[in-house]
C-alpha cells in the first residue's frame, strides 16, 4: 500500500530570473497575479485562489531556473514522520525559517538535486480591502486582468534519472504514480505523480542533456479551456512567446498552453476539466514509445523544443 | 486534527423510481450514461469516467427516493478502523455482499436513517470493445450523446437534524466540513462535507417537513460550464423538467442545473471549474441568513421548490 | 418585398449620464472599452473590434437616457434614397456635422421621438501603436481587461406605440422584422428588427408608462457564452449591479446578462452563438402571451424590473 | 461600389463519395446531421438550424469531390439580374429543376469549372413532430448527438487561377473580397469572399497541381469553440481522421478543426465567435508571404497535407 496522504499539496515555488522586473510584469500583467511583498532581489506573487501567503517567489539570479519547491504536510504528525524518514535517507539540509507567511521548513533534495521544503504552519492569506472577494469562500478577488490564473497546478522537473526521482517521491513523500512513459528498453522517460486528487502535482521527465537540477515548467490552473484559448490570444497581443498549444495532452488529458516568461522559464496554463484521480489504488498508466509516437491527444506532433528547452540553459547556472 | 483520509470517495448509489423504464431512458438518453447490467427490477448505469463497475443502481420501487449510498474506504486498514468505530457507535447493519463488481460491504445508517455502505474491494471497469476509449487513461469511451456526464459528483440528503448528521460524517468517517449555513438562532440549516479535494461530496440540508431519510438531489460532474448550458438546451428539447439554473451557487461556487428525472428525483449537473479544497486545515465557511438572502452568486433568488421538493414525497414511502 | 439593404448596420450611440466620470470608469474598467477622445462634457469610447472611430459618446446630462443612434447607410446612393424618403415622411431634422471620424449625418426621429442619424462617410479607426492588434484583420488590440466586449450589438428602445415604430423602421429604413410579441388583443408588445444577418439590431418594447423616447438597453457582443459567465463574476467583484442573468432568451435565443451602468442605463452583454438570420424572406416569428408566460428559454421568470426600468426615469428628462 | 446584396447566402451543396453509406454515417453519427430523403444513389442531410430543405446531397460517385454548389438569390429581381449577367458572360448551362424543396435553378460554372446554381424559390423546412424544436425560432430540434453542427458555413474550392475565380464571384455575383494571400510575385494564392456579414462564404485557394474543379473543404458552423474541442474528442473516439486543429486561423480568425469524411473529402468545423464583417466598404486584408510564414494565429505551422490534399485526388474523377 502507498504511504498515503502525508503531503497535502504542492505550495509555493522559487523561480529564478535574470530579468526580475520583466518577469514580475509577466506574472502580473499577463497571468493576472498579484504582488504581495518582496524587495529588490525577490518579489512574492500570488494566484487569486491560492489560500496561503504567496504562490511564487521570483528571485533575481544570474540565470533562469527553479529554486526551492515547497510542499505542505497534511498534519504536524505527517511532517514529523517525513522529517524522520528523510533524515534517515540522508537527504536533509535541515530546518530553515520559512518564507513570509510560512512556518519552519524542513529542507531537502531529490536525487537530481532539486531543492524541496516541507512545512506545516501556514498563515491564511488575508487580503487588503481592495483585494477582498465578493464571495467569502474565495481567497482573493478575481482579478479580471490578463489570464487570471486560479492557482498553482504542478511542477515538471527535468531529471537525469527519472526512476530514482520517482521512487523518492513515492517512497519518501507518499506520492501516487499515476502515469508514465516507458521506453522500449524498459526505462522511464517521464513520470507523473500526485499528492492530491488531481492527476499530477509533480512530474519528472528525462533531461536528454544529462544535466541535473533543471526545470521543464511550472503550471497554473485556469477555470476553463476557454480561459486557455483566451490566454493564447492575450499572449499574441502582449508579445508573450507561445511555444506550443492550445492543445490536449494524451497523457493526463490536460488542455494546455506553453509560453516562456521573460526570464526564459517555461510556463504552462492547464485545465483538466472535471477529471480527477479518485481511486486510492489507481493503477499506473504506462505509455509506450509507439503510443507516444501518435503525438498529442488530437494528433499534433510534439514540438522539438519541448524536448530540449529547460532552465537554466545547459552550462549556465 | 481531523480523522484524515479514511474514506477515498463517494462511489455508487441506489436510486428508487416508480417508473424504472422511463428513469433508465433519462439516464441513458439525456445524461448519456451507459447500462452495464441489471434485471426487471434494477438497472446498473455508469458515467463514462467512473473507474468502478457502475455509478447508479436504478431500483423499481413504489416511490422515488434514495437507497444505499456506497463509499469506498481509502485502504483495507481504513475500512477495518471505520467498521470498528461504527460498530462501537451502534449504527451497524453488518456485512453484506456488494453489488456486482464490488466486494463485501459494511452497511450502516446515518442519524437520519439514510443507508450507507463502506467497502474496499472493487473491480476496475473493463469496457467491451465498442465502449473502449481512445485514450487509455479514461475508463470508457466518451459517449457524445446527450449531456455525457463524466462522473458522480456528490449527494445532498435532506435531514431532520443537520448537526447530528454532520457530526456523524466528520467523527465516524473523517469528512471535512467545508461550508455551512448558520441561521440566526445558531442552528445549522445546511452542511457541505468532503472526503476528497473537491469542495464537497456529501451535503445535508434541513428537511423542513421534519421527515427523515429523504433525498434532496444527487449530482453529476460535467467537464465545462458550457456542458451545463448545453444540458439545459437538451433538457428543453427532450422535455426534461428544469427546476432551476443554469446559474452559480454562492456556496461552493458551483455552476449548476437542476432537473427532475421521470421518477421525481432531483438531479444536478455541476461544474466547479478548477476550484479545489487543498488546505488540510480548511476553516469552515459559515454563511449567515443575511448573506443567504442575497440569493445565488449572481443574485438569482432561490426557487421555492428547492426548499420543499424532496424524494420520496412526504407520506409516501 | 422588403426594401433591402439600405442600412448597413447600427453604428455609434450617444448615452446620457448624470455621473460621467463613473460611467466612463464602468465602460473602461468593467467592459474593457477604450477612451478615444472627448472633453469635460462628453467622452468617446470604443469596443475593440468596431471598425469605426467610436462606439459610444458618453454625454454628461441631467439624467440618464439615450441621445442619437447613428446608422451607417450601405452606400452613398442608399443614403440619398433614404434621405429623400425621410424628408417626404416629414421626420427630418436636416443635416448635421457628424461626430469626430464620421461624415455629414442626416438627423431624423422615429415616431416615438428617439433621435436617429444616417450617414455614409466614415474614417476607419487607426489605432495608436500601443493599441495595434497582432492580427491585421482586427480593428484594435484585444484589451484582456474586464469583459472585453467585441462590438456594439443592438439597441432596445421603449416605445409608446410599438407598431408605429416597427413600421417606420421597416418601411423607411428597410429593416426586416424577425420576431415579435403579439398580445391576445392583437397588439404588438415588442418587435425585433434587423439590418444585417444578426437576428436583431433594433428593438422596440412597449413602454408601460406611456412615456416616449426612452431607452430599455443597449447591448454589446462578447465572443462566447463563457465571456458572459465571466462578466457576471467580474460584475460581482467590481460591485456592478446585476439585474438578471446569465440566462438564455427564448426570443432570438440570445445568451444574456443585464447590468446597470452607474448612470442608471441598462446594459446587456449578449452572445448569439453561430445563429444568424440568412433567409431574405424570413417569416416573422410571433410569440403569444401564453408562450411568453413560460419565461425565458430555460424557464426563468422574467424579473419585474425588466418591465419597468427604463431611462430616463419617468418624469425626469 | 460593389454590386451589393444580389446573393443572399450559400445554400445546399452536392458532395461526391465513393462510399455513400459510410459517408452518411459520418454526417449523421459524427456531425449530428439528419437524413431527410434520398435513394440508393443520393441522400439528403441537413444541419439542425438550416432553414431550407437540406444542406447536403451526398451522391454516390466513382470518386470524392464536389458537385453543384447552390446559392440563394436575395430576391426574384436579383435572380433575374444575375441570370441575365451570367448569360451575357457565356457561362450558363441553363435552367434545371431544383432539388426537392428548391425551385428552378439556374446552373452555371465558375472559371475553374466548379458547377454553381442560383435560385429563389425555397420551401421552408417543416420538421416532423419528433424533430420539432422546443423554441419556434429554430428550424429543427437540436440533436444532442455527436458534434451537432448548426449550419453550413462556407465552401473552399481549389482553383488553378484564383484571381479569375475571385473576379467572377465579385463581378458576376456581388461577393465582397474580405481577405487574400498575396504572394511576393503579386499573384493571389487565396481569396476569401462573402455574400453576408460572415467573414467569408466562398474561398478559392490555389491548386498547386494545376488541376481544375477540385474541392479543398466544406465547413459547418458550431455555436462555440468548446463545441470544436468536443468535436476533436468525439473524432478521436469514433475513429474519424483529424488532419489539423483545433487551432485558430490568422486569416479570418476562425477557430477550426479539419477532419476527413470516409469518402475522402475534407470537412471543417468552424467558429468565428462574434466576429462579423459589417463595413459595406470593407478594405480587403492582404496577407504577405512573410506574414503567412508565421503560421496560424498562435504560431502552429500549417500541416503539409493542407497544401496538397484535395478531392477528387488528382487523376481520379
Amino acid at each position: 500500500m502507498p504511504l498515503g496522504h502525508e503531503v497535502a499539496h504542492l505550495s509555493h515555488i522559487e523561480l529564478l530570473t535574470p530579468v526580475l522586473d520583466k518577469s514580475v510584469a509577466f506574472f502580473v500583467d499577463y497571468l493576472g497575479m498579484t504582488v504581495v511583498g518582496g524587495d529588490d532581489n525577490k518579489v512574492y506573487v500570488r494566484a487569486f485562489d491560492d489560500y496561503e501567503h504567496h504562490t511564487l517567489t521570483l528571485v533575481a539570479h544570474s540565470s533562469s531556473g527553479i529554486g526551492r519547491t515547497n510542499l505542505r504536510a497534511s498534519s504536524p504528525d505527517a511532517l514529523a514522520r517525513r522529517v524522520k524518514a528523510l533524515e534517515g535517507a540522508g537527504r536533509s539540509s535541515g530546518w530553515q525559517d520559512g518564507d513570509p507567511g510560512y512556518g519552519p521548513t524542513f529542507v531537502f533534495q531529490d536525487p537530481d538535486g532539486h531543492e524541496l521544503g516541507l512545512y506545516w504552519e501556514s498563515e491564511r492569506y488575508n487580503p487588503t480591502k481592495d483585494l477582498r472577494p465578493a464571495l467569502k469562500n474565495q481567497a482573493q478577488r478575481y482579478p479580471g486582468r490578463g489570464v487570471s490564473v486560479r492557482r498553482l497546478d504542478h511542477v515538471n522537473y527535468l531529471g537525469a534519472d527519472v526512476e530514482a526521482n520517482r521512487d523518492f517521491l513515492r517512497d519518501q513523500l507518499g506520492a501516487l504514480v499515476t502515469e508514465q512513459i516507458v521506453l522500449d528498453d524498459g526505462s522511464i522517460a517521464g513520470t507523473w505523480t500526485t499528492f492530491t486528487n488531481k492527476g499530477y502535482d509533480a512530474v519528472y521527465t528525462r533531461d536528454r542533456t544529462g544535466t541535473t537540477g533543471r526545470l521543464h515548467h511550472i503550471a497554473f490552473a485556469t477555470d476553463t479551456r476557454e480561459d486557455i484559448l483566451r490566454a493564447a490570444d492575450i499572449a499574441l497581443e502582449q508579445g508573450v512567446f507561445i511555444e506550443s498549444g492550445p492543445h490536449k495532452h494524451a497523457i493526463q488529458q490536460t488542455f494546455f498552453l506553453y509560453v516562456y516568461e521573460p526570464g526564459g522559464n517555461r510556463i504552462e496554463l492547464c485545465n483538466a476539466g472535471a477529471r480527477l484521480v479518485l481511486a486510492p489504488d489507481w493503477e499506473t498508466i504506462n505509455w509506450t514509445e509507439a503510443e507516444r509516437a501518435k503525438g498529442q491527444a488530437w494528433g499534433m506532433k510534439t514540438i522539438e523544443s519541448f524536448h530540449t528547452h529547460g532552465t537554466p540553459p545547459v552550462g549556465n547556472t
Side-chain angles (χ1 to χ4, degrees), chain A residues 29-107:
Chain A
D29 297 336
Y30 176 62
L31 290 190
M33 296 176 77
T34 305
V35 172
V36 284
D39 57 30
D40 284 357
N41 292 313
K42 59 175 65 171
V43 176
Y44 304 111
V45 295
R46 49 176 284 106
F48 79 88
D49 205 24
D50 274 334
Y51 72 93
E52 296 174 287
H53 182 268
H54 60 267
T55 306
L56 293 184
T57 308
L58 299 171
V59 182
H61 195 74
S62 58
S63 74
S64 54
I66 189 167
R68 187 191 305 163
T69 302
N70 295 281
L71 306 171
R72 189 163 184 216
S74 60
S75 68
D77 286 352
L79 175 59
R81 282 191 297 267
R82 288 310 100 214
V83 166
K84 189 173 172 191
L86 288 161
E87 286 177 335
R91 297 200 171 280
S92 164
S93 297
W95 290 92
Q96 296 188 15
D97 286 344
D99 274 355
Y102 297 94
T105 300
F106 184 77
V107 180

Side-chain angles (χ1 to χ4, degrees), chain A residues 67 124 158 199 212 226 297:
Chain A
R124 197 117 330 186
L158 289 167
T212 58
E226 272 290 338

Side-chain angles (χ1 to χ4, degrees), chain A residues 49-193:
Chain A
D49 205 24
D50 274 334
Y51 72 93
E52 296 174 287
H53 182 268
H54 60 267
T55 306
L56 293 184
T57 308
L58 299 171
V59 182
H61 195 74
S62 58
S63 74
S64 54
I66 189 167
R68 187 191 305 163
T69 302
N70 295 281
L71 306 171
R72 189 163 184 216
S74 60
S75 68
D77 286 352
L79 175 59
R81 282 191 297 267
R82 288 310 100 214
V83 166
K84 189 173 172 191
L86 288 161
E87 286 177 335
R91 297 200 171 280
S92 164
S93 297
W95 290 92
Q96 296 188 15
D97 286 344
D99 274 355
Y102 297 94
T105 300
F106 184 77
V107 180
F108 57 102
Q109 283 77 35
D110 70 15
D112 212 68
H114 300 96
E115 186 174 288
L116 294 123
L118 190 65
Y119 69 95
W120 164 250
E121 290 176 27
S122 179
E123 285 174 23
R124 197 117 330 186
Y125 172 65
N126 186 15
T128 51
K129 195 179 170 192
D130 57 313
L131 296 176
R132 211 162 288 163
L135 297 175
K136 60 202 280 192
N137 49 10
Q138 184 174 301
Q140 177 190 327
R141 181 170 293 186
Y142 174 76
R145 178 185 68 244
V147 182
S148 298
V149 294
R150 179 176 285 271
R151 57 167 167 72
L152 181 64
D153 191 83
H154 65 265
V155 58
N156 187 325
Y157 302 109
L158 289 167
D161 180 346
V162 169
E163 287 92 331
N165 288 289
R166 173 200 61 189
D167 294 352
F168 178 77
L169 283 194
R170 185 188 61 205
D171 301 339
Q172 296 296 329
L173 297 173
L176 184 67
V177 181
T178 52
E179 306 200 19
Q180 292 194 133
I181 297 172
V182 183
L183 300 186
D184 292 350
D185 65 6
S187 69
I188 307 296
T191 187
W192 281 256
T193 75

